[in-house]
Amino acid sequence: MSGRKINRIIGWFCLCLSPFLAKAQATIHGKVSANNEALRGVRIDLRLNPDSKILAYTFSDAQGNYRLQTTQSANLTLQFKSLGFEPLSLVIVPKQADTLINVQMRPGGVQRLQEVIVHAKQPYRNGRDTIELSVNSFMQGDERNVEDLLRKIPGINVGSDGSIKIGNKEVEKVMVEGDDFFEKGYRLLTQSMSVQPLEKIQVLQRYSNNKQLKGIENSDKVALNLQLKADSKNEWLGSVGLQGTPFGHKYYQASANLMNFGKRNKYYLLASANNNGYDAVSSINHLIQSGSANEPGQIGVDVGTPILMDNTPNLPNFDYRRTNFNNDKLLSLNTILNPIGGFKIKWLGFANPTKKSFYRNSVQEYNLDDIQFTTTENYAFTRRIHNYFTKLELQYEPNKHSALNYTGTLGSLNTDELGSLLFNNIASSEITKNKGHLTNHNLTYSYKLSQRKALVSSIRFISQRSPVDYSINSYYYEDLFGTDPVNEVQQHIDNNLQYLGATTHYVARQQNGNFFELGLSSTYQKQQLNSQLRLLPSPDSEPEAVVYPPKFANEMTLRLFQTQVISKYTVKHRNWEITPRLQVGMLNSGLVNFEAQTRKNNLQLSPGLSGKWTMHHKGRLEADLFFQQQNAKLTDLIPNYYTTGVHNFIKGMDHLATLNSSGGMLLYTYGNMSDRFFANLRIGHQILFDYIGTESDLNPNFNLVQQLLLKNKTLTDYKGELNYYLKALKGNIRLDVGFGTANYETLVTGLGHRQIRTNRYDYGLSFRSSWKSNFNIYTGYLLQTNSYRMEGATNTLTNGQAFLNLFFRFSENLQASLKNESYRFGAMPQEKNQTYYFSDFSLFYDLKKYRTRFDITAKNIFNTRSFRNAMLTDISRSTTEYRLLPRYISVGIDYNF
């Protein structure tokens, strides 16, 4: 039998059995009408009963016809629904293969759909002035705090010190549910708060710190607002973490957070302690300073005593935690209360007793014509810090048109430093003590004259004392003071400030968008600096034997009384705006040193012009031109020498001066951080017609530096940042390029004037994946080149950094991360470049049911104990070797509640 006949028989056989194998299928059809007119778009659902799942559904066509099919033979429910008509439900029994059902619907029911909400998982959501980020879209599992999360969001740049920038602008504050605890000290929040209760992060553009100025102020400020999950609001929640090394070197880290973010009252309590290199507070100055400069109604924001002696290590492009031998403790209590409507109380209490140790060995080479020598320094110092600080803010809004705000701070900022020094092979001990006190009071009244006009007035009082006591028990200065026997050198500095300022600003925005601001301010500032260097022959010597070098003593007072008028007017027209501005001030200055007095009265003018142009819906161009006149600072005017450490003595100009400068900036921005492609390109140029330069008298055991008023220094910089989401790789690529150059002159005793040109090149390329998988990477390379050119000779130094961070998710509960870094530092002439490798590994296990996470962390796996980098200046080239924390393994537990 042929194959064709066999296939034909099998086909007939199946056809004969099909009535027995298949159920009968019924067709339900008909027409939907209303007032004898066909209805289009009516939804028809077929169910077993009114509340059961849908068996089939369709919509009526333009003629009102519909058709459904079913294999059910029992009682069925046929439902008809349409906007603007009453729903209709029929019970049918399709006993025939073809069932006809025509229906008439009556007007009624819902006439208009009020709102449609579509929920979709998207990482970004854009509003007029707000970009909303979904936290879950950026979480990878190894985030310990908010800062770790922010580092993973394209367009948000977190610096090594914890500062947060979006584009070229640093954020004003980081709020929680619309309220702010720390203002510019937001690092205390972002480096401590757990990410677990977060749901969204809002980027607030054109942000106004003063609510009365919202919609009026011409603001380009940026702020962040953290939004919590629904079950985290109005509830006490927090986290407790503990890490420690079970063997070897004893390192630990402990932290506790307790918070309640209610609608009216908010509480945030923080405690931490560690000795594994983590800096509990990046800079207390960010907490002390309140307010934002260049904001209507603000005055005295950046006023404070100058820092005269600072041994803080300078670690460019290196993780400071690897060389921070510390024992930090921190306690912070913060609350926001709303006892009655329109009245808010904010209180911050802060204590930070800390011990830090630091070790470095440096070689500094001077090779300038006839001046050739080398200095060596092996230095180990321990710093004990005792910072106690409190801040009270009262906000009262008697009505919706006015607000009264008071901010008062009180701080005690003390440090004790003990240094063990081997300088040029001579051993000595250094002791530095700072006992600072600060009080700062600011009162602001805001009144909204109309919907588009407001008046803001402020008065601020500051009193600060920052005395310094310094001593060293070896004598390196025979060539400076003579060869008489000296056992100890001491210096005492009184560094005091008193400030009183008041200002009033009128701001108005016209209906066409034009903006006008007029401000009047008056300030009085008194700064006192008394310094005295003492040479002590022996501990038991007579008081008459103590030597006080006359050229190393200061008793100066600087008084400044200034009245200023500030005005600006913004003209807006569709896609462009232009803002001319003018600042006019009358300054009365007085400088007294011992019996000598100098007075100066002068008029200062600082005009400027800025503009913005929206070239297309994603491209924006900003430009700024300015001419500026400002006062020389206190440290520029100190008449006689004071020491800043074992090697350097410095003095100022000893006369009042006004510094003139002009410049311009051009910024192009394409897109924003929520776009696939986001870019910032900036060009800036500045001419300092008057600037503070130096004349250095170089010696093997000391340098004498005198500040001078010099002419015509030029600065130029180019910077580009490009972010691009590459679909093929499913990740974000970022390119950073920068170039900066400076032309100026310095003086060296014996060599005269020296023309200097510096160039700096920065390149950075990185890639961060966003793969929907169990594996992600973050990798990149940074390269920086510095060069100094003087008298035809050029010195160049190049440093590079590469990193590769890997994240693994083995299961929902088990994750791991491996962070790898390599640093390649330039070296002194005739030395090889040094490359250093670091690797850290962490393994996390989450018990999500119990909100507990366990981890095992290995730091500095290669056990690199030191690293050496090089630094260039216009007078020297140096290499510095730093001691690093050793390899260790710690185990930890974090519990969220």
Side-chain angles (χ1 to χ4, degrees), residues 294 505 517-519 521 562-568 580-586 603-608 627-631:
N294 301 320
H505 282 248
E517 178 181 345
L518 179 65
S521 64
Q562 187 171 20
T563 301
Q564 284 187 333
V565 177
I566 302 171
S567 65
K568 62 177 67 174
R581 63 184 184 274
L582 177 64
Q583 179 175 310
V584 181
M586 178 60 70
L603 181 69
Q604 293 184 350
L605 299 175
S606 297
F627 175 82
Q628 188 176 47
Q629 291 185 308
Q630 59 185 3
N631 312 321

PDB file of all heavy atoms in Angstrom, residues 294 505 517-519 521 562-568 580-586 603-608 627-631:
ATOM      1  N   ASN A 294      24.524  84.330  48.034  1.00  0.00           N
ATOM      2  CA  ASN A 294      23.860  84.776  46.793  1.00  0.00           C
ATOM      3  C   ASN A 294      22.374  84.468  46.807  1.00  0.00           C
ATOM      4  O   ASN A 294      21.785  84.140  45.776  1.00  0.00           O
ATOM      5  CB  ASN A 294      24.527  84.141  45.565  1.00  0.00           C
ATOM      6  CG  ASN A 294      25.995  84.476  45.468  1.00  0.00           C
ATOM      7  OD1 ASN A 294      26.402  85.599  45.739  1.00  0.00           O
ATOM      8  ND2 ASN A 294      26.803  83.489  45.097  1.00  0.00           N
ATOM      9  N   HIS A 505      16.230  92.963  51.158  1.00  0.00           N
ATOM     10  CA  HIS A 505      16.124  92.695  49.721  1.00  0.00           C
ATOM     11  C   HIS A 505      14.661  92.782  49.294  1.00  0.00           C
ATOM     12  O   HIS A 505      13.770  92.227  49.957  1.00  0.00           O
ATOM     13  CB  HIS A 505      16.659  91.301  49.389  1.00  0.00           C
ATOM     14  CG  HIS A 505      18.142  91.218  49.345  1.00  0.00           C
ATOM     15  ND1 HIS A 505      18.855  90.991  48.194  1.00  0.00           N
ATOM     16  CD2 HIS A 505      19.068  91.357  50.315  1.00  0.00           C
ATOM     17  CE1 HIS A 505      20.144  90.979  48.460  1.00  0.00           C
ATOM     18  NE2 HIS A 505      20.299  91.191  49.753  1.00  0.00           N
ATOM     19  N   GLU A 517      15.539  92.570  41.421  1.00  0.00           N
ATOM     20  CA  GLU A 517      15.989  92.430  42.808  1.00  0.00           C
ATOM     21  C   GLU A 517      16.814  93.649  43.182  1.00  0.00           C
ATOM     22  O   GLU A 517      17.679  94.094  42.430  1.00  0.00           O
ATOM     23  CB  GLU A 517      16.830  91.168  42.991  1.00  0.00           C
ATOM     24  CG  GLU A 517      17.362  90.997  44.411  1.00  0.00           C
ATOM     25  CD  GLU A 517      18.214  89.755  44.585  1.00  0.00           C
ATOM     26  OE1 GLU A 517      18.170  88.876  43.684  1.00  0.00           O
ATOM     27  OE2 GLU A 517      18.938  89.659  45.601  1.00  0.00           O
ATOM     28  N   LEU A 518      16.528  94.196  44.370  1.00  0.00           N
ATOM     29  CA  LEU A 518      17.258  95.336  44.897  1.00  0.00           C
ATOM     30  C   LEU A 518      17.569  95.053  46.354  1.00  0.00           C
ATOM     31  O   LEU A 518      16.673  94.736  47.141  1.00  0.00           O
ATOM     32  CB  LEU A 518      16.455  96.627  44.756  1.00  0.00           C
ATOM     33  CG  LEU A 518      17.117  97.901  45.291  1.00  0.00           C
ATOM     34  CD1 LEU A 518      18.362  98.226  44.467  1.00  0.00           C
ATOM     35  CD2 LEU A 518      16.129  99.064  45.274  1.00  0.00           C
ATOM     36  N   GLY A 519      18.850  95.150  46.714  1.00  0.00           N
ATOM     37  CA  GLY A 519      19.253  94.848  48.076  1.00  0.00           C
ATOM     38  C   GLY A 519      20.149  95.921  48.653  1.00  0.00           C
ATOM     39  O   GLY A 519      20.974  96.514  47.952  1.00  0.00           O
ATOM     40  N   SER A 521      22.671  96.475  52.112  1.00  0.00           N
ATOM     41  CA  SER A 521      23.273  95.800  53.257  1.00  0.00           C
ATOM     42  C   SER A 521      24.324  96.689  53.897  1.00  0.00           C
ATOM     43  O   SER A 521      24.944  97.526  53.235  1.00  0.00           O
ATOM     44  CB  SER A 521      23.906  94.473  52.837  1.00  0.00           C
ATOM     45  OG  SER A 521      24.986  94.687  51.945  1.00  0.00           O
ATOM     46  N   GLN A 562      31.251  98.429  55.847  1.00  0.00           N
ATOM     47  CA  GLN A 562      30.913  98.432  54.428  1.00  0.00           C
ATOM     48  C   GLN A 562      29.408  98.557  54.245  1.00  0.00           C
ATOM     49  O   GLN A 562      28.617  97.901  54.935  1.00  0.00           O
ATOM     50  CB  GLN A 562      31.408  97.143  53.760  1.00  0.00           C
ATOM     51  CG  GLN A 562      31.267  97.119  52.251  1.00  0.00           C
ATOM     52  CD  GLN A 562      31.974  95.926  51.639  1.00  0.00           C
ATOM     53  OE1 GLN A 562      32.242  94.940  52.316  1.00  0.00           O
ATOM     54  NE2 GLN A 562      32.315  96.018  50.366  1.00  0.00           N
ATOM     55  N   THR A 563      29.022  99.409  53.298  1.00  0.00           N
ATOM     56  CA  THR A 563      27.622  99.554  52.890  1.00  0.00           C
ATOM     57  C   THR A 563      27.535  99.236  51.408  1.00  0.00           C
ATOM     58  O   THR A 563      28.323  99.758  50.609  1.00  0.00           O
ATOM     59  CB  THR A 563      27.107 100.970  53.158  1.00  0.00           C
ATOM     60  OG1 THR A 563      27.216 101.261  54.556  1.00  0.00           O
ATOM     61  CG2 THR A 563      25.654 101.105  52.731  1.00  0.00           C
ATOM     62  N   GLN A 564      26.610  98.375  51.053  1.00  0.00           N
ATOM     63  CA  GLN A 564      26.499  97.912  49.667  1.00  0.00           C
ATOM     64  C   GLN A 564      25.075  98.020  49.162  1.00  0.00           C
ATOM     65  O   GLN A 564      24.108  97.853  49.927  1.00  0.00           O
ATOM     66  CB  GLN A 564      26.943  96.453  49.549  1.00  0.00           C
ATOM     67  CG  GLN A 564      28.433  96.226  49.584  1.00  0.00           C
ATOM     68  CD  GLN A 564      28.784  94.786  49.298  1.00  0.00           C
ATOM     69  OE1 GLN A 564      27.997  93.868  49.540  1.00  0.00           O
ATOM     70  NE2 GLN A 564      29.987  94.554  48.778  1.00  0.00           N
ATOM     71  N   VAL A 565      24.967  98.302  47.867  1.00  0.00           N
ATOM     72  CA  VAL A 565      23.689  98.242  47.151  1.00  0.00           C
ATOM     73  C   VAL A 565      23.846  97.224  46.029  1.00  0.00           C
ATOM     74  O   VAL A 565      24.799  97.290  45.246  1.00  0.00           O
ATOM     75  CB  VAL A 565      23.287  99.614  46.577  1.00  0.00           C
ATOM     76  CG1 VAL A 565      21.994  99.490  45.774  1.00  0.00           C
ATOM     77  CG2 VAL A 565      23.113 100.630  47.696  1.00  0.00           C
ATOM     78  N   ILE A 566      22.925  96.278  45.980  1.00  0.00           N
ATOM     79  CA  ILE A 566      22.958  95.216  44.973  1.00  0.00           C
ATOM     80  C   ILE A 566      21.673  95.306  44.154  1.00  0.00           C
ATOM     81  O   ILE A 566      20.567  95.380  44.717  1.00  0.00           O
ATOM     82  CB  ILE A 566      23.065  93.835  45.629  1.00  0.00           C
ATOM     83  CG1 ILE A 566      24.320  93.746  46.496  1.00  0.00           C
ATOM     84  CG2 ILE A 566      23.067  92.730  44.589  1.00  0.00           C
ATOM     85  CD1 ILE A 566      24.386  92.496  47.344  1.00  0.00           C
ATOM     86  N   SER A 567      21.820  95.283  42.837  1.00  0.00           N
ATOM     87  CA  SER A 567      20.637  95.323  41.970  1.00  0.00           C
ATOM     88  C   SER A 567      20.843  94.398  40.789  1.00  0.00           C
ATOM     89  O   SER A 567      21.959  94.245  40.291  1.00  0.00           O
ATOM     90  CB  SER A 567      20.348  96.752  41.493  1.00  0.00           C
ATOM     91  OG  SER A 567      21.396  97.221  40.679  1.00  0.00           O
ATOM     92  N   LYS A 568      19.764  93.780  40.340  1.00  0.00           N
ATOM     93  CA  LYS A 568      19.785  92.956  39.130  1.00  0.00           C
ATOM     94  C   LYS A 568      18.398  92.960  38.510  1.00  0.00           C
ATOM     95  O   LYS A 568      17.377  93.113  39.204  1.00  0.00           O
ATOM     96  CB  LYS A 568      20.233  91.528  39.434  1.00  0.00           C
ATOM     97  CG  LYS A 568      19.331  90.757  40.383  1.00  0.00           C
ATOM     98  CD  LYS A 568      19.795  89.321  40.585  1.00  0.00           C
ATOM     99  CE  LYS A 568      21.101  89.259  41.314  1.00  0.00           C
ATOM    100  NZ  LYS A 568      21.477  87.844  41.642  1.00  0.00           N
ATOM    101  N   PRO A 580      21.440  91.835  33.603  1.00  0.00           N
ATOM    102  CA  PRO A 580      22.502  92.740  34.044  1.00  0.00           C
ATOM    103  C   PRO A 580      22.414  92.917  35.563  1.00  0.00           C
ATOM    104  O   PRO A 580      21.328  92.906  36.143  1.00  0.00           O
ATOM    105  CB  PRO A 580      22.191  94.044  33.309  1.00  0.00           C
ATOM    106  CG  PRO A 580      20.719  93.976  33.041  1.00  0.00           C
ATOM    107  CD  PRO A 580      20.349  92.536  32.906  1.00  0.00           C
ATOM    108  N   ARG A 581      23.572  93.076  36.214  1.00  0.00           N
ATOM    109  CA  ARG A 581      23.590  93.253  37.670  1.00  0.00           C
ATOM    110  C   ARG A 581      24.698  94.234  38.037  1.00  0.00           C
ATOM    111  O   ARG A 581      25.669  94.403  37.295  1.00  0.00           O
ATOM    112  CB  ARG A 581      23.795  91.923  38.382  1.00  0.00           C
ATOM    113  CG  ARG A 581      25.126  91.243  38.088  1.00  0.00           C
ATOM    114  CD  ARG A 581      25.223  89.876  38.751  1.00  0.00           C
ATOM    115  NE  ARG A 581      26.547  89.272  38.538  1.00  0.00           N
ATOM    116  CZ  ARG A 581      26.878  88.553  37.481  1.00  0.00           C
ATOM    117  NH1 ARG A 581      25.972  88.327  36.531  1.00  0.00           N
ATOM    118  NH2 ARG A 581      28.088  88.047  37.379  1.00  0.00           N
ATOM    119  N   LEU A 582      24.543  94.843  39.196  1.00  0.00           N
ATOM    120  CA  LEU A 582      25.523  95.824  39.656  1.00  0.00           C
ATOM    121  C   LEU A 582      25.578  95.793  41.175  1.00  0.00           C
ATOM    122  O   LEU A 582      24.537  95.778  41.846  1.00  0.00           O
ATOM    123  CB  LEU A 582      25.149  97.233  39.177  1.00  0.00           C
ATOM    124  CG  LEU A 582      26.069  98.367  39.655  1.00  0.00           C
ATOM    125  CD1 LEU A 582      27.477  98.187  39.094  1.00  0.00           C
ATOM    126  CD2 LEU A 582      25.486  99.722  39.263  1.00  0.00           C
ATOM    127  N   GLN A 583      26.806  95.769  41.690  1.00  0.00           N
ATOM    128  CA  GLN A 583      27.037  95.841  43.136  1.00  0.00           C
ATOM    129  C   GLN A 583      27.938  97.033  43.404  1.00  0.00           C
ATOM    130  O   GLN A 583      29.052  97.110  42.894  1.00  0.00           O
ATOM    131  CB  GLN A 583      27.682  94.552  43.635  1.00  0.00           C
ATOM    132  CG  GLN A 583      27.979  94.535  45.119  1.00  0.00           C
ATOM    133  CD  GLN A 583      28.503  93.181  45.571  1.00  0.00           C
ATOM    134  OE1 GLN A 583      27.934  92.141  45.295  1.00  0.00           O
ATOM    135  NE2 GLN A 583      29.633  93.206  46.262  1.00  0.00           N
ATOM    136  N   VAL A 584      27.441  97.969  44.215  1.00  0.00           N
ATOM    137  CA  VAL A 584      28.170  99.185  44.541  1.00  0.00           C
ATOM    138  C   VAL A 584      28.349  99.231  46.046  1.00  0.00           C
ATOM    139  O   VAL A 584      27.385  99.060  46.800  1.00  0.00           O
ATOM    140  CB  VAL A 584      27.432 100.444  44.059  1.00  0.00           C
ATOM    141  CG1 VAL A 584      28.235 101.701  44.382  1.00  0.00           C
ATOM    142  CG2 VAL A 584      27.148 100.362  42.569  1.00  0.00           C
ATOM    143  N   GLY A 585      29.596  99.435  46.497  1.00  0.00           N
ATOM    144  CA  GLY A 585      29.855  99.449  47.927  1.00  0.00           C
ATOM    145  C   GLY A 585      30.821 100.540  48.327  1.00  0.00           C
ATOM    146  O   GLY A 585      31.763 100.862  47.592  1.00  0.00           O
ATOM    147  N   MET A 586      30.570 101.098  49.498  1.00  0.00           N
ATOM    148  CA  MET A 586      31.487 102.059  50.097  1.00  0.00           C
ATOM    149  C   MET A 586      32.146 101.387  51.285  1.00  0.00           C
ATOM    150  O   MET A 586      31.465 100.932  52.206  1.00  0.00           O
ATOM    151  CB  MET A 586      30.746 103.321  50.533  1.00  0.00           C
ATOM    152  CG  MET A 586      31.644 104.341  51.219  1.00  0.00           C
ATOM    153  SD  MET A 586      33.020 104.928  50.173  1.00  0.00           S
ATOM    154  CE  MET A 586      32.090 105.886  48.972  1.00  0.00           C
ATOM    155  N   LEU A 603      35.531 103.331  47.006  1.00  0.00           N
ATOM    156  CA  LEU A 603      34.283 102.902  46.372  1.00  0.00           C
ATOM    157  C   LEU A 603      34.563 101.655  45.547  1.00  0.00           C
ATOM    158  O   LEU A 603      35.505 101.639  44.743  1.00  0.00           O
ATOM    159  CB  LEU A 603      33.729 104.019  45.495  1.00  0.00           C
ATOM    160  CG  LEU A 603      32.407 103.725  44.769  1.00  0.00           C
ATOM    161  CD1 LEU A 603      31.255 103.632  45.768  1.00  0.00           C
ATOM    162  CD2 LEU A 603      32.129 104.805  43.727  1.00  0.00           C
ATOM    163  N   GLN A 604      33.778 100.621  45.731  1.00  0.00           N
ATOM    164  CA  GLN A 604      33.968  99.368  45.002  1.00  0.00           C
ATOM    165  C   GLN A 604      32.784  99.117  44.083  1.00  0.00           C
ATOM    166  O   GLN A 604      31.625  99.177  44.506  1.00  0.00           O
ATOM    167  CB  GLN A 604      34.127  98.202  45.978  1.00  0.00           C
ATOM    168  CG  GLN A 604      35.397  98.270  46.798  1.00  0.00           C
ATOM    169  CD  GLN A 604      35.597  97.070  47.691  1.00  0.00           C
ATOM    170  OE1 GLN A 604      34.691  96.250  47.855  1.00  0.00           O
ATOM    171  NE2 GLN A 604      36.779  96.936  48.275  1.00  0.00           N
ATOM    172  N   LEU A 605      33.095  98.821  42.810  1.00  0.00           N
ATOM    173  CA  LEU A 605      32.082  98.534  41.796  1.00  0.00           C
ATOM    174  C   LEU A 605      32.288  97.115  41.277  1.00  0.00           C
ATOM    175  O   LEU A 605      33.404  96.739  40.924  1.00  0.00           O
ATOM    176  CB  LEU A 605      32.176  99.522  40.634  1.00  0.00           C
ATOM    177  CG  LEU A 605      31.956 100.993  40.948  1.00  0.00           C
ATOM    178  CD1 LEU A 605      32.200 101.854  39.714  1.00  0.00           C
ATOM    179  CD2 LEU A 605      30.544 101.224  41.473  1.00  0.00           C
ATOM    180  N   SER A 606      31.204  96.352  41.205  1.00  0.00           N
ATOM    181  CA  SER A 606      31.270  94.978  40.680  1.00  0.00           C
ATOM    182  C   SER A 606      30.071  94.745  39.766  1.00  0.00           C
ATOM    183  O   SER A 606      29.020  94.243  40.198  1.00  0.00           O
ATOM    184  CB  SER A 606      31.270  93.962  41.833  1.00  0.00           C
ATOM    185  OG  SER A 606      32.420  94.121  42.639  1.00  0.00           O
ATOM    186  N   PRO A 607      30.181  95.130  38.476  1.00  0.00           N
ATOM    187  CA  PRO A 607      29.085  94.881  37.532  1.00  0.00           C
ATOM    188  C   PRO A 607      29.197  93.479  36.923  1.00  0.00           C
ATOM    189  O   PRO A 607      30.246  92.843  36.963  1.00  0.00           O
ATOM    190  CB  PRO A 607      29.300  95.959  36.467  1.00  0.00           C
ATOM    191  CG  PRO A 607      30.782  96.176  36.477  1.00  0.00           C
ATOM    192  CD  PRO A 607      31.246  95.951  37.898  1.00  0.00           C
ATOM    193  N   GLY A 608      28.104  93.018  36.344  1.00  0.00           N
ATOM    194  CA  GLY A 608      28.097  91.709  35.702  1.00  0.00           C
ATOM    195  C   GLY A 608      26.946  91.583  34.739  1.00  0.00           C
ATOM    196  O   GLY A 608      25.992  92.360  34.763  1.00  0.00           O
ATOM    197  N   PHE A 627      33.018  91.825  36.359  1.00  0.00           N
ATOM    198  CA  PHE A 627      34.167  92.561  36.873  1.00  0.00           C
ATOM    199  C   PHE A 627      33.959  92.683  38.366  1.00  0.00           C
ATOM    200  O   PHE A 627      32.860  93.025  38.823  1.00  0.00           O
ATOM    201  CB  PHE A 627      34.275  93.943  36.236  1.00  0.00           C
ATOM    202  CG  PHE A 627      35.373  94.779  36.831  1.00  0.00           C
ATOM    203  CD1 PHE A 627      36.685  94.613  36.417  1.00  0.00           C
ATOM    204  CD2 PHE A 627      35.109  95.720  37.823  1.00  0.00           C
ATOM    205  CE1 PHE A 627      37.711  95.372  36.976  1.00  0.00           C
ATOM    206  CE2 PHE A 627      36.125  96.479  38.377  1.00  0.00           C
ATOM    207  CZ  PHE A 627      37.427  96.308  37.952  1.00  0.00           C
ATOM    208  N   GLN A 628      35.008  92.381  39.151  1.00  0.00           N
ATOM    209  CA  GLN A 628      34.828  92.276  40.595  1.00  0.00           C
ATOM    210  C   GLN A 628      35.923  93.027  41.330  1.00  0.00           C
ATOM    211  O   GLN A 628      37.103  92.973  40.947  1.00  0.00           O
ATOM    212  CB  GLN A 628      34.825  90.807  41.019  1.00  0.00           C
ATOM    213  CG  GLN A 628      34.466  90.569  42.474  1.00  0.00           C
ATOM    214  CD  GLN A 628      34.391  89.098  42.794  1.00  0.00           C
ATOM    215  OE1 GLN A 628      35.271  88.324  42.430  1.00  0.00           O
ATOM    216  NE2 GLN A 628      33.336  88.678  43.467  1.00  0.00           N
ATOM    217  N   GLN A 629      35.521  93.721  42.388  1.00  0.00           N
ATOM    218  CA  GLN A 629      36.454  94.366  43.308  1.00  0.00           C
ATOM    219  C   GLN A 629      36.166  93.832  44.709  1.00  0.00           C
ATOM    220  O   GLN A 629      35.015  93.854  45.156  1.00  0.00           O
ATOM    221  CB  GLN A 629      36.301  95.891  43.282  1.00  0.00           C
ATOM    222  CG  GLN A 629      36.765  96.532  41.982  1.00  0.00           C
ATOM    223  CD  GLN A 629      36.713  98.046  42.048  1.00  0.00           C
ATOM    224  OE1 GLN A 629      35.701  98.645  42.398  1.00  0.00           O
ATOM    225  NE2 GLN A 629      37.821  98.685  41.698  1.00  0.00           N
ATOM    226  N   GLN A 630      37.207  93.357  45.391  1.00  0.00           N
ATOM    227  CA  GLN A 630      37.018  92.809  46.727  1.00  0.00           C
ATOM    228  C   GLN A 630      38.224  93.139  47.597  1.00  0.00           C
ATOM    229  O   GLN A 630      39.292  93.512  47.108  1.00  0.00           O
ATOM    230  CB  GLN A 630      36.803  91.302  46.663  1.00  0.00           C
ATOM    231  CG  GLN A 630      37.932  90.527  46.018  1.00  0.00           C
ATOM    232  CD  GLN A 630      37.601  89.056  45.885  1.00  0.00           C
ATOM    233  OE1 GLN A 630      36.523  88.606  46.209  1.00  0.00           O
ATOM    234  NE2 GLN A 630      38.568  88.289  45.388  1.00  0.00           N
ATOM    235  N   ASN A 631      38.042  92.946  48.910  1.00  0.00           N
ATOM    236  CA  ASN A 631      39.078  93.292  49.872  1.00  0.00           C
ATOM    237  C   ASN A 631      40.088  92.161  49.996  1.00  0.00           C
ATOM    238  O   ASN A 631      39.757  90.989  49.856  1.00  0.00           O
ATOM    239  CB  ASN A 631      38.461  93.546  51.257  1.00  0.00           C
ATOM    240  CG  ASN A 631      37.266  94.468  51.195  1.00  0.00           C
ATOM    241  OD1 ASN A 631      37.270  95.433  50.441  1.00  0.00           O
ATOM    242  ND2 ASN A 631      36.246  94.169  51.976  1.00  0.00           N
TER     243      ASN A 631
END
